[in-house]
Amino acid sequence: MSSKPQDAVADVSVLPLTRPQLAEARRMRAAELFEQRRPSSEVARAVGMHPESVRRWKRLWEQGGAEALRRRPATGRPPKLDDAQVEAVRAALEQGARAHGFEADLWTLERVDVVVERVTGVTLARASVWRLLTGRLGWSLQRPRRQAVERDESEIARWVAHEWPRIKKCPYGFRQAALILGGS
């Protein structure tokens, strides 16, 4: 028996599903439930969708089976980056911004665009970089907490422990009167 806990072992080769893949997985699960003759309301609860969407899926399923619920290829211009290039960009971004020569480990659209161009040789518009991050890579907007670089936690703790109780001791009106009269 291994001494490693089984929960700690993760399969790093499995990539997170994109939104379109998750939507298709929901529809495929709904198709399985339709085949079991489950009512639409139950299917809607099971897949976490609005009952009207599930009824629309059921009509499609009745006409064309599970294949009718599969994703269709996108119409219009093909994407500038193929799947292999997207995975190369994902691997590069997961190394962090500092690994690519940026001062702070923070990704901005401009920085991601620089990395995409270095890795693939393809220049993307700002909106396309956003779609790449959110649509194809499944990333979401994360804003860092704003905090002063000069922040000194030990000084803050000292101030809260010593200065704040001294300031707070006097009732507001009394302290204000003392200041006006020239007292301390």
Side-chain angles (χ1 to χ4, degrees):
M1 203 165 157
S2 171
S3 62
K4 288 187 215 174
Q6 292 298 328
D7 294 340
V9 179
D11 183 5
V12 292
S13 65
V14 177
L15 298 173
L17 294 177
T18 62
R19 287 181 184 160
Q21 291 169 332
L22 286 170
E24 183 178 20
R26 274 191 180 133
R27 291 190 303 270
M28 292 301 104
R29 176 66 181 134
E32 292 171 6
L33 296 172
F34 294 150
E35 288 169 3
Q36 297 171 10
R37 303 283 184 233
R38 301 277 178 90
S40 294
S41 58
E42 183 180 328
V43 174
R45 278 191 302 276
V47 298
M49 293 298 292
H50 193 276
E52 187 57 38
S53 296
V54 172
R55 284 191 287 274
R56 185 171 14 92
W57 295 349
K58 188 169 186 178
R59 285 191 301 271
L60 288 169
W61 174 78
E62 288 168 343
Q63 294 170 359
E67 279 306 307
L69 296 177
R70 291 220 178 267
R71 277 192 304 162
R72 287 168 188 68
T75 59
R77 182 181 179 149
K80 286 186 174 182
L81 301 178
D82 62 26
D83 291 341
Q85 289 173 313
V86 170
E87 291 312 315
V89 169
R90 179 192 305 273
L93 294 178
E94 286 175 349
Q95 292 172 356
R98 289 190 182 190
H100 294 280
F102 298 109
E103 191 173 313
D105 209 10
L106 177 73
W107 286 116
T108 63
L109 293 178
E110 290 79 13
R111 289 180 176 187
V112 172
D113 187 36
V114 168
V115 171
V116 168
E117 192 167 353
R118 283 181 194 162
V119 171
T120 66
V122 175
T123 303
L124 296 176
R126 193 176 158 100
S128 297
V129 173
W130 178 254
R131 281 193 303 272
L132 169 69
L133 289 172
T134 58
R136 295 187 74 185
L137 294 177
W139 287 26
S140 62
L141 177 64
Q142 306 284 317
R143 293 192 188 269
R145 283 190 324 167
R146 296 183 70 69
Q147 194 170 31
V149 175
E150 304 85 16
R151 186 177 172 102
D152 183 357
E153 294 297 331
S154 62
E155 178 60 22
I156 292 170
R158 186 203 64 76
W159 189 90
V160 168
H162 297 92
E163 300 298 322
W164 178 243
R166 182 183 61 79
I167 294 169
K168 193 173 178 178
K169 269 185 188 174
C170 297
Y172 178 73
F174 182 75
R175 176 144 177 86
Q176 191 175 26
L179 289 173
I180 292 172
L181 296 174
S184 53

